[in-house]
């Protein structure tokens, strides 16, 4: 007599998002223990340096191209780091479950490098240092929206004298975020010492890539079910 018995479910560990988190926090902790001069020198060495739009080819030289990636692990302050890591966890973990760890990591690095390239050309001076993972994290926000267009996100809103936890459509919250990036970009490429164009470029890249692979991921998921 033969009976169908469900096989043991294979548990896949998602490691890309935690790895990025550990690397960013670790780099920030190491920089916190060096003196100010060394700290600034390291940011200058491993951060991405802006360039004039007419000089875009200089950003593709091996040494400068590498900094478009290495700068993703650097952050200027604890607030900068905390904000990026919070968004990384909120949007990176579900995106990684859909894409897989290797694809998520590749998307993070490629989107971050592209967004830093765009930001480097959008600055008002060719001597600004661009640091942080904001462009790469924005790539994951775009990917999340393409992969989960009907998702809902929880937000805490001040309602009267109380704070209320409310679930809202992700598309509404992310659209509001995009509008804010557009407004700040219009106000100035470096308004508030933030490379706003990096956010928009990363978001667009992540959305388009995830949109292109969404159907193949869905078919593969149905085959495994």
């Amino acid at each position: 007599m033969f009976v169908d018995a469900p096989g043991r479910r294979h548990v896949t560990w998602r490691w890309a998002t935690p790895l990025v988190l550990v690397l960013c926090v670790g780099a920030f902790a190491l920089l916190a223990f060096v003196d100010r001069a060394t700290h600034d020198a390291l940011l200058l060495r491993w951060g991405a340096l802006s360039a004039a739009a007419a000089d875009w080819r200089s950003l593709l030289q091996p040494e400068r191209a590498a900094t478009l990636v290495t700068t993703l692990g650097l952050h200027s302050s604890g607030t900068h780091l905390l904000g990026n890591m919070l968004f990384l966890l909120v949007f990176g973990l579900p995106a990684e479950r859909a894409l897989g760890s290797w694809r998520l990591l590749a998307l993070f690095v490629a989107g971050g490098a592209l967004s830093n390239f765009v930001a480097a050309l959008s600055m008002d001076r060719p001597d600004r240092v661009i640091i942080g993972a904001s462009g790469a994290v924005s790539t994951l926000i775009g990917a999340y929206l393409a992969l989960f267009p009907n998702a809902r996100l929880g937000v805490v809103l001040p309602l009267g004298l109380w704070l209320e936890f409310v679930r809202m459509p992700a598309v509404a919250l992310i659209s509001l975020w995009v509008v804010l990036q557009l407004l700040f970009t219009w106000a100035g490429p470096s308004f508030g010492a933030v490379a706003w164009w990096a956010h928009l470029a990363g978001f667009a890249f992540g959305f388009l890539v995830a949109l292109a692979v969404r159907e193949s991921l869905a078919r593969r998921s149905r085959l495994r079910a």
Side-chain angles (χ1 to χ4, degrees):
M1 180 179 179
F2 296 94
V3 296
D4 290 328
R8 184 174 298 175
R9 187 174 181 179
H10 179 66
V11 178
T12 303
W13 294 102
R14 302 305 181 189
W15 50 264
T17 302
L19 175 63
V20 171
L21 176 68
V22 169
L23 290 176
C24 290
V25 173
F28 184 80
L30 288 175
L31 288 174
F33 286 100
V34 300
D35 58 83
R36 187 66 186 183
T38 303
H39 178 275
D40 292 345
L42 288 172
L43 292 185
L44 185 62
R45 170 62 183 86
W46 299 108
L49 195 64
S50 62
D55 195 29
W56 63 270
R57 291 181 181 84
S58 66
L59 295 174
L60 302 180
Q61 296 174 358
E63 185 173 348
R64 293 193 68 178
T67 63
L68 297 176
V69 176
T70 57
T71 193
L72 298 177
L74 305 175
H75 290 83
S76 59
S77 66
T79 303
H80 187 200
L81 174 69
L82 180 62
N84 275 344
M85 295 304 98
L86 178 61
F87 276 75
L88 171 70
L89 293 175
V90 170
F91 297 102
L93 289 173
E96 185 174 358
R97 285 195 294 270
L99 293 169
S101 296
W102 283 109
R103 293 189 190 89
L104 188 283
L105 185 60
L107 182 65
F108 182 89
V109 172
L114 175 65
S115 62
N116 287 331
F117 180 85
V118 172
L121 298 179
S122 70
M123 292 295 177
D124 55 353
R125 297 202 313 259
D127 58 351
R128 290 180 177 269
V129 180
I130 302 165
I131 61 174
S134 300
V137 172
S138 298
T139 300
L140 301 186
I141 297 176
Y144 178 92
L145 181 60
L147 294 169
F148 310 107
N150 299 318
R152 300 176 73 84
L153 294 172
V155 293
V156 177
L157 298 176
L159 300 178
L161 299 177
W162 309 100
L163 295 177
E164 191 74 24
F165 181 81
V166 179
R167 297 189 67 83
M168 298 180 62
V171 64
L173 293 175
I174 294 176
S175 296
L176 176 61
W177 175 85
V178 172
V179 169
L180 290 175
Q181 309 312 302
L182 287 169
L183 289 176
F184 284 128
T185 300
W186 174 78
S190 58
F191 180 81
V194 176
W196 303 107
W197 270 111
H199 300 178
L200 292 170
F203 174 82
F205 179 77
F207 182 83
L208 293 175
V209 170
L211 193 65
V213 302
R214 187 174 63 184
E215 289 302 319
S216 64
L217 291 173
R219 287 195 299 270
R220 188 172 303 174
S221 178
R222 287 195 293 268
L223 289 175
R224 286 200 301 264

